[in-house]
């Protein structure tokens, strides 16, 4: 239904976060997009094992797939979790956390949508702090939802690498 909130994770990895998010937030629909076929297969297997039916996974580049796939202003929560920093200058254009990288998603975000970035790479966090306000997001204290860890975060915690979560709201103050 139109009132069911939609959570989108770009680059869901093995799908741990998205699957756990779906279990913790049963009133939500979830959509994950990943470019690696093997990870989509692993994610699908995980969703099946956990008996999750509220989540769909797509294979491909979210920047190309989502704008024609989703209606404008349909995303209530947008997750960018441990994105590739694309260190090399020649690869910077591939970064999701840039005004160009995020531009295709901006029309899809509802006013008040939650945007969460997590990383263990200070550069990625700095990019998020610069870019998200430039596309109309403002920083907030926390997500206001129970959010599980990602596979990467669980590894970081186990081996003692610090990671950080940044939370934002898009546009207006209201949210899901």
């Amino acid at each position: 239904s139109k009132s069911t909130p939609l959570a989108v994770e770009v680059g869901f990895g093995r799908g741990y976060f998205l699957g756990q998010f779906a279990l913790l937030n049963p009133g939500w629909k979830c959509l994950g997009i990943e470019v690696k076929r093997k990870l989509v297969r692993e994610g699908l297997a995980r969703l099946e094992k956990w008996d999750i039916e509220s989540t769909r996974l797509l294979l491909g580049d979210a920047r190309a797939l989502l704008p024609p796939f989703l209606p404008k202003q349909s995303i209530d929560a947008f997750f960018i979790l441990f994105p590739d920093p694309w260190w090399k200058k020649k690869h910077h254009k591939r970064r999701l956390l840039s005004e160009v990288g995020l531009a295709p998603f901006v029309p899809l975000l509802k006013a008040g949508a939650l945007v969460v970035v997590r990383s263990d790479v200070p550069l990625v966090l700095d990019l998020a702090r610069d870019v998200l306000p430039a596309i109309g997001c403002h920083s907030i204290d926390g997500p206001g939802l129970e959010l599980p860890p990602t596979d990467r975060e669980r590894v970081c915690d186990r081996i003692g690498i610090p990671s950080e979560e940044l939370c934002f709201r898009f546009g207006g103050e209201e949210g899901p």
Side-chain angles (χ1 to χ4, degrees):
S1 80
K2 285 245 183 267
S3 62
T4 305
L6 174 64
V8 173
E9 184 180 7
V10 174
F12 59 80
R14 292 178 173 82
Y16 184 85
F17 172 89
L18 202 58
Q20 288 294 307
F21 179 88
L23 291 171
L24 289 168
N25 299 281
W28 286 66
K29 289 181 301 195
C30 301
L31 178 63
I33 304 94
E34 176 58 65
V35 293
K36 295 180 178 138
R37 187 175 305 273
K38 177 180 186 261
L39 295 179
V40 174
R41 277 198 302 268
E42 288 183 34
L44 288 169
R46 199 169 239 174
L47 293 176
E48 191 175 338
K49 182 176 132 192
W50 291 345
D51 197 27
I52 296 169
E53 294 181 6
S54 60
T55 301
R56 298 291 174 267
L57 303 181
L58 297 174
L59 172 66
D61 185 332
R63 290 172 278 213
L65 278 179
L66 284 190
F69 185 76
L70 289 178
K72 292 198 182 329
Q73 298 168 14
S74 60
I75 298 175
D76 296 278
F78 191 67
F79 300 112
I80 304 169
L81 308 177
F82 297 85
D84 191 323
W86 294 110
W87 299 108
K88 292 180 182 163
K89 186 156 178 46
K90 69 180 180 179
H91 292 154
H92 286 188
K93 64 183 177 287
R94 297 183 185 174
R95 282 183 178 159
L96 192 56
L97 285 170
S98 69
E99 286 186 56
V100 171
L102 290 173
F105 307 111
V106 173
L108 305 178
L109 296 172
K110 278 187 187 167
L114 172 67
V115 179
V116 176
V117 176
R118 288 184 191 162
S119 185
D120 56 331
V121 177
L123 167 72
V124 167
L125 297 163
D126 289 344
L127 289 170
R129 286 185 188 98
D130 289 345
V131 170
L132 287 163
I135 64 159
C137 292
H138 59 274
S139 183
I140 59 173
D141 285 339
L145 280 170
E146 190 176 352
L147 299 182
T150 66
D151 279 313
R152 170 81 187 149
E153 203 167 354
R154 290 161 67 210
V155 169
C156 287
D157 288 348
R158 196 168 61 241
I159 61 179
I161 296 174
S163 62
E164 193 175 342
E165 175 179 271
L166 303 176
C167 299
F168 298 84
R169 285 250 177 248
F170 176 72
E173 298 289 332
E174 70 285 350

